[in-house]
Amino acid sequence: GNSVTQMEGPVTLSEEAFLTINCTYTATGYPSLFWYVQYPGEGLQLLLKATKADDKGSNKGFEATYRKETTSFHLEKGSVQVSDSAVYFCALRTAGGGNKLTFGTGTQLKVEL
Amino acid sequence: DAGVIQSPRHEVTEMGQEVTLRCKPISGHDYLFWYRQTMMRGLELLIYFNNNVPIDDSGMPEDRFSAKMPNASFSTLKIQPSEPRDSAVYFCASRPSSMNTEAFFGQGTRLTVV
């Protein structure tokens, strides 16, 4: 079956630090990969996505590259801000997976001044 | 569009009571999903619908949980009777048919069963 493994949090960084949140996956077929962000008290919002190998998704300074050879989709940002404090979820979907998203457990990011 | 709308935002109920959570998906979206989020188990898919038809309910924890989608603009998740371990945030999400489009989430209903 499909599964997503994320690095455990919480991750605490100083403002302007470099961020990496690791995500690896197991899937049957060729998944589409997603990063969602959840701000306190809110629902999940799509941050970025990639639908095939070597695609790079990017949004709001965040990037993630679909690496088929390492089955990874690590999230990176060069300089985090306090406003990036949130929980980040890696997710995948396969056509054979019934169109449902499989989520990782989420990684809490806290950015301090 | 106002996005996926869930109600209520917060619900506190006593053990044994019936609880009904409501969701209005984005107009034109063919898929609707119900998720549950807890600290212990993270995000779990409970059930999803395609064109108002339940496709996969394997995530529904037990018979106390039921979900319906009587039309394209409304779905309910019912728990009867409720138990303290049902306390969680319940999210509804919807998306259109195209494979590579993302799901849009509502703001969730925080359920507390005391």
Side-chain angles (χ1 to χ4, degrees):
Chain A
N2 297 339
S3 68
V4 176
T5 302
Q6 286 182 239
M7 64 187 286
E8 290 199 15
V11 173
T12 303
L13 295 174
S14 299
E15 202 169 43
E16 300 184 2
F18 184 86
L19 168 72
T20 300
I21 300 178
N22 290 338
C23 171
T24 56
Y25 66 88
T26 302
T28 53
Y30 298 96
S32 295
L33 301 174
F34 305 84
W35 276 101
Y36 279 82
V37 58
Q38 184 180 28
Y39 298 103
E42 298 187 9
L44 280 72
Q45 305 170 28
L46 180 71
L47 180 60
L48 53 84
K49 67 180 181 183
T51 58
K52 61 183 188 296
D54 300 325
D55 269 2
K56 177 185 284 188
S58 61
N59 185 27
K60 299 181 181 179
F62 290 89
E63 293 183 339
T65 301
Y66 188 141
R67 301 285 188 200
K68 185 168 177 285
E69 63 276 14
T70 55
T71 62
S72 65
F73 193 54
H74 304 321
L75 182 68
E76 296 181 337
K77 187 174 185 182
S79 176
V80 294
Q81 305 299 312
V82 172
S83 58
D84 294 325
S85 298
V87 181
Y88 292 82
F89 292 89
C90 185
L92 68 82
R93 185 174 69 230
T94 59
N99 290 296
K100 54 190 179 184
L101 283 166
T102 300
F103 285 92
T105 53
T107 302
Q108 184 175 7
L109 170 66
K110 184 177 179 182
V111 181
E112 301 174 332
L113 290 171
Chain B
D1 201 314
V4 176
I5 299 173
Q6 291 186 246
S7 65
R9 289 293 309 276
H10 302 275
E11 176 81 36
V12 180
T13 190
E14 290 186 347
M15 183 173 63
Q17 297 298 305
E18 177 181 294
V19 176
T20 299
L21 312 181
R22 297 173 175 78
C23 175
K24 181 182 185 328
I26 294 172
S27 177
H29 283 193
D30 299 324
Y31 287 89
L32 184 140
F33 305 83
W34 281 101
Y35 286 88
R36 177 172 68 177
Q37 184 180 38
T38 60
M39 290 293 292
M40 292 294 293
R41 302 167 74 102
L43 268 166
E44 304 172 274
L45 176 67
L46 300 177
I47 184 171
Y48 80 93
F49 296 82
N50 179 215
N51 291 323
N52 314 338
V53 176
I55 302 300
D56 184 351
D57 64 355
S58 59
M60 296 284 262
E62 49 199 273
D63 291 345
R64 297 185 297 108
F65 285 69
S66 62
K68 294 182 180 179
M69 192 165 185
N71 56 61
S73 59
F74 184 65
S75 177
T76 59
L77 177 68
K78 184 178 292 186
I79 308 172
Q80 166 63 17
S82 57
E83 297 182 2
R85 61 193 168 119
D86 302 330
S87 297
V89 181
Y90 291 81
F91 288 103
C92 177
S94 71
R95 73 169 184 87
S97 296
S98 174
M99 181 59 197
N100 292 326
T101 53
E102 69 270 26
F104 292 82
F105 282 73
Q107 291 192 297
T109 295
R110 181 174 293 279
L111 173 65
T112 303
V113 183
V114 297

